């Protein structure tokens, strides 16, 4: 199946700094990528939908100025957590729709996630 | 908005026991249904999916799920679990041709050898 990678897998930063997380589709093109946040013992919460070449669509309650998303190419989307605070500590997961699959049905391929810890 | 419910939050079974995890959704229109598994320390992997056709779907590792439209359900089953099935299981629903997925809260399965 299609492979999605994330980098870094784990990051620790100081409060007030910014952190960038990359999401790449390795063997397919993705016009749409999604960013989720997973809380302990809870489900995935969709943060935003990232469309290649256009602005991301944020879910209600997600601060677009805090969580900057850029989808510069068909294989790369980045999430930047700006001015991070301890409450931003979480597991961030990206996923991507396969361009080929979009013609028939929707299937998302998930990255391995990034564990962010803000001290 | 769509909601997806997984009623079993934590299930503990002995090896060889049968498994059934519940999943219910709220959307009344055309849906695509998925079960994902997340093994400890690993990323989400697709177990099986339903788009149309036979409502009984067979997936990897001996898992199957049945779509019952009248009950808005898509329960996951496995006749005989193994220790290696210990993981977190997520049900997800996608509305028709839309991009957005809605996830249930997950069920943590622990299989005791």
């Amino acid at each position: 199946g299609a492979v999605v990678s994330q980098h870094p897998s784990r990051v620790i930063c100081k409060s007030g700094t910014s952190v960038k997380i990359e999401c790449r589709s390795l063997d397919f093109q993705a016009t749409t990528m999604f960013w989720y946040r997973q809380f302990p013992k809870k489900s995935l919460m969709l943060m935003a939908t990232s469309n290649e070449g256009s602005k991301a669509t944020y879910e209600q309650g997600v601060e677009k100025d805090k969580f900057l998303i850029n989808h510069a190419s068909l294989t790369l989307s980045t999430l930047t957590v700006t001015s991070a605070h301890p409450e931003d500590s979480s597991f961030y997961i990206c996923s991507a729709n396969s361009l080929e699959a979009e013609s028939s049905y929707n299937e998302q391929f998930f990255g391995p996630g990034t564990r962010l810890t803000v001290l | 908005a769509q909601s997806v419910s997984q009623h079993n939050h934590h299930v503990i079974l002995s090896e060889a026991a049968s498994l059934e995890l519940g999943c219910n959704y709220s959307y009344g229109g055309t849906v695509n249904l998925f079960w994902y598994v997340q093994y400890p320390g690993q990323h989400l992997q697709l177990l099986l999916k339903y788009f149309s056709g036979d409502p009984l779907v067979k997936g990897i590792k001996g898992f199957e799920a049945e779509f019952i439209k009248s009950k808005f359900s898509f329960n996951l089953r496995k006749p005989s679990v193994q220790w290696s099935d210990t993981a977190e299981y997520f049900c997800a629903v996608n509305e028709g041709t839309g991009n957005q997925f809605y996830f249930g809260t997950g069920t943590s399965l622990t299989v005791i050898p």
Side-chain angles (χ1 to χ4, degrees), chain A residues 34 97 105-108, chain B residues 2 4 27 29-34 50-51 92-102:
Chain A
F34 304 85
N97 276 9
Y105 54 82
N106 283 307
E107 183 173 345
Q108 291 194 13
Chain B
Q2 178 72 254
V4 181
Y27 185 64
T30 301
V31 292
N32 303 313
L33 300 157
F34 306 81
Y50 170 83
F51 293 108
V93 176
N94 165 247
E95 297 175 357
T97 56
N99 277 327
Q100 188 164 336
F101 276 50
Y102 299 90

Side-chain angles (χ1 to χ4, degrees), chain B residues 1-7 23-33 67-74 91-96 101-104:
Chain B
Q2 178 72 254
S3 71
V4 181
S5 301
Q6 289 182 243
H7 308 294
C23 173
N24 289 88
Y25 62 94
S26 61
Y27 185 64
T30 301
V31 292
N32 303 313
L33 300 157
F67 170 49
I68 302 179
K69 189 174 182 180
S70 60
K71 294 184 178 181
F72 297 88
S73 70
F74 189 57
C91 178
V93 176
N94 165 247
E95 297 175 357
F101 276 50
Y102 299 90
F103 282 85

Side-chain angles (χ1 to χ4, degrees), chain B residues 9 12-13 16 33 36 47 56 59 66 72 75 84:
Chain B
H9 297 293
I12 301 173
L13 295 173
L33 300 157
Y36 286 89
L47 265 182
L56 184 61
E66 185 174 13
F72 297 88
N75 291 356
S84 57

Side-chain angles (χ1 to χ4, degrees), chain A residues 4 32 34 36 38 41-44 46 49 51 59 91 93 97 102 105-113, chain B residues 32 34 36 38 42-46 49 51 88 90 94-101 103-106 108:
Chain A
V4 175
T32 306
F34 304 85
Y36 294 86
Q38 187 177 26
K41 303 298 182 184
K42 292 194 174 181
S43 183
L44 282 74
L46 179 65
T49 302
N51 298 298
E59 295 300 303
F91 195 57
I93 302 174
N97 276 9
E102 282 180 8
Y105 54 82
N106 283 307
E107 183 173 345
Q108 291 194 13
F109 301 94
F110 288 85
Chain B
N32 303 313
F34 306 81
Y36 286 89
Q38 188 174 29
Q42 296 189 27
H43 63 282
L44 283 162
Q45 300 173 42
L46 182 67
K49 59 187 181 238
F51 293 108
E88 193 86 15
F90 293 94
N94 165 247
E95 297 175 357
T97 56
N99 277 327
Q100 188 164 336
F101 276 50
F103 282 85
T105 50
S108 176

